Amino acid sequence: MKPVDVQLLGPVAITQGNEDVTSQFESRKALALFCYLASAQKPISRVQLVDLFWPDKPEKRGRGNLSRVLSNFSSILPDVVDAKQHEVAFCHNNENVRVDTAVLEALIENNNIVALDRASQLYRGAYLEGLYLEDCAEFEIWLTREQERWRQRATEVLEDLLMYDLHRREFTRARDYAERLLEINPWREESHRHLML
């Protein structure tokens, strides 16, 4: 199996080997469901997925839609999503599959400056930037929460890096981190003060 790279931070990008397969998902909803599974750390029941992504459809039709989408996943990326009779799980234990949010968390856990710098580079923009589903209110609520959570994680990482470089008087690097903080939180006074400094 060729390595699969799933980028959820910023616009969604999914590659296998050197090939971008993002456009091969049958719909925005299919792509959103794949990203939802990639974010989950445990199996999700089919009932929950149907309720989340097809809330306005009869149960039988929703289950049919889910089965079709899972078949689409299997044709694009075999062995990445494990679809059982009652639940579906993303194969996080597959060593050929890399999800940027999981890598970012692992780098933060390392708790050293080199790992934090690598983690900061993974944040390319808002979580699932530009991916919205107008007919799925519960998904939108989940997405808003996740976007805020990852924005906070990126802010914490960049603040740690900024303070480290300020203490070391590495002002050029500190300025770069301050500017990135302002891209994420343009209203944040503390970042403006650091940039002026």
Side-chain angles (χ1 to χ4, degrees), residues 21-187:
V21 298
T22 314
S23 62
Q24 294 181 31
F25 287 83
E26 69 172 40
S27 63
R28 289 170 62 85
K29 188 170 285 189
L31 183 60
L33 196 154
F34 182 85
C35 294
Y36 182 81
L37 291 170
S39 301
Q41 297 302 312
K42 61 181 182 180
I44 308 293
S45 75
R46 285 180 178 250
V47 171
Q48 184 180 342
L49 291 173
V50 168
D51 288 346
L52 193 61
F53 289 94
W54 293 278
D56 56 339
K57 299 283 188 269
E59 183 183 348
K60 186 174 180 181
R61 180 142 179 225
R63 283 182 170 272
N65 289 343
L66 176 61
S67 293
R68 189 188 69 245
V69 166
L70 292 174
S71 177
N72 176 232
F73 295 171
S74 181
S75 68
I76 302 167
L77 299 168
D79 304 320
V80 174
V81 173
D82 183 19
K84 291 189 166 56
Q85 183 177 359
H86 297 293
E87 61 185 24
V88 182
F90 193 87
C91 297
H92 286 286
N93 293 332
N94 187 328
E95 61 186 26
N96 289 316
V97 179
R98 175 189 172 273
V99 180
D100 62 353
T101 51
V103 174
L104 188 143
E105 287 289 10
L107 288 168
I108 291 172
E109 287 293 315
N110 278 340
N111 199 25
N112 69 61
I113 208 67
V114 174
L116 287 179
D117 184 59
R118 285 184 55 211
S120 76
Q121 294 167 30
L122 290 173
Y123 191 83
R124 302 175 300 119
Y127 179 82
L128 305 190
E129 187 176 301
L131 185 60
Y132 300 101
L133 301 178
E134 294 177 3
D135 61 341
C136 301
E138 288 298 318
F139 172 80
E140 288 298 317
I141 291 168
W142 172 83
L143 178 58
T144 300
R145 277 197 317 263
E146 287 298 294
Q147 286 176 332
E148 177 59 21
R149 181 166 82 89
W150 289 108
R151 188 182 64 76
Q152 285 293 335
R153 293 299 272 161
T155 298
E156 291 164 5
V157 167
L158 288 167
E159 283 176 343
D160 287 347
L161 291 165
L162 170 63
M163 297 312 295
Y164 177 83
D165 282 336
L166 282 176
H167 288 302
R168 291 171 50 88
R169 304 183 65 79
E170 297 280 351
F171 295 122
T172 302
R173 284 169 44 105
R175 182 194 66 221
D176 292 343
Y177 292 131
E179 286 173 348
R180 289 200 56 207
L181 277 165
L182 287 172
E183 288 173 12
I184 297 171
N185 301 304
W187 56 88

